Amino acid sequence: MSTVDKFRDYLKLLDEKEAKIKELKDAVNSETSLKLDLLHKSNEVRLHPDKVKEEYELSKAPTEKQIQAHIDETYNELTDDYELAKQNTSLIRKDLELIDNRISFEKYVLQLEMKQ
């Protein structure tokens, strides 16, 4: 493989990294949006424990565990989406790390070839 071909491969990896960074940005934005949405909805429930008390016909004010269980059940899809978004972001970060390793390797190969 010629030096020019290796240089092209190196540039392709840089393009791939740029695309992956954009993908990570979108994933982080999605994760953050879901996290904030879940936080706001959870806070709304925590600020109005009387609604939880009425819904479950409790004789006393609900405990934090009961409130959390209500939040988990009411917003289970949102919670699941948030957890999936976190995992997706994590996987994209691992992909980016792999691309960085490949870039380092290609850079090293190019440097060795330039010395010869």
Side-chain angles (χ1 to χ4, degrees), residues 33-110:
S33 177
L34 289 166
K35 179 181 181 179
L36 291 173
D37 192 23
L38 183 59
L39 177 67
H40 292 302
K41 289 179 178 183
S42 297
N43 286 341
E44 185 66 27
V45 171
R46 285 189 172 87
L47 287 171
H48 300 97
D50 291 343
K51 291 181 181 177
V52 176
K53 180 181 175 183
E54 288 173 25
E55 185 173 334
Y56 294 104
E57 300 175 357
L58 301 172
S59 58
K60 303 185 241 177
T63 65
E64 179 54 36
K65 286 185 178 184
Q66 289 171 319
I67 290 172
Q68 186 59 50
H70 173 73
I71 290 168
D72 291 345
E73 287 305 308
T74 303
Y75 301 112
N76 62 347
E77 286 183 28
L78 182 59
T79 302
D80 292 348
D81 289 346
Y82 171 57
E83 290 301 320
L84 288 171
K86 286 191 330 188
Q87 293 303 316
N88 186 42
T89 300
S90 176
L91 289 172
I92 293 170
R93 288 182 198 278
K94 288 184 188 297
D95 286 346
L96 196 53
E97 187 178 320
L98 179 61
I99 292 169
D100 281 338
N101 290 342
R102 290 171 49 206
I103 287 171
S104 294
F105 175 75
E106 290 294 331
K107 184 177 175 182
Y108 178 74
V109 169
L110 282 169

Side-chain angles (χ1 to χ4, degrees), residues 19-30:
K20 192 57 73 172
I21 288 171
K22 288 177 183 175
E23 184 181 351
L24 178 61
K25 177 186 163 231
D26 292 342
V28 167
N29 286 341
S30 176

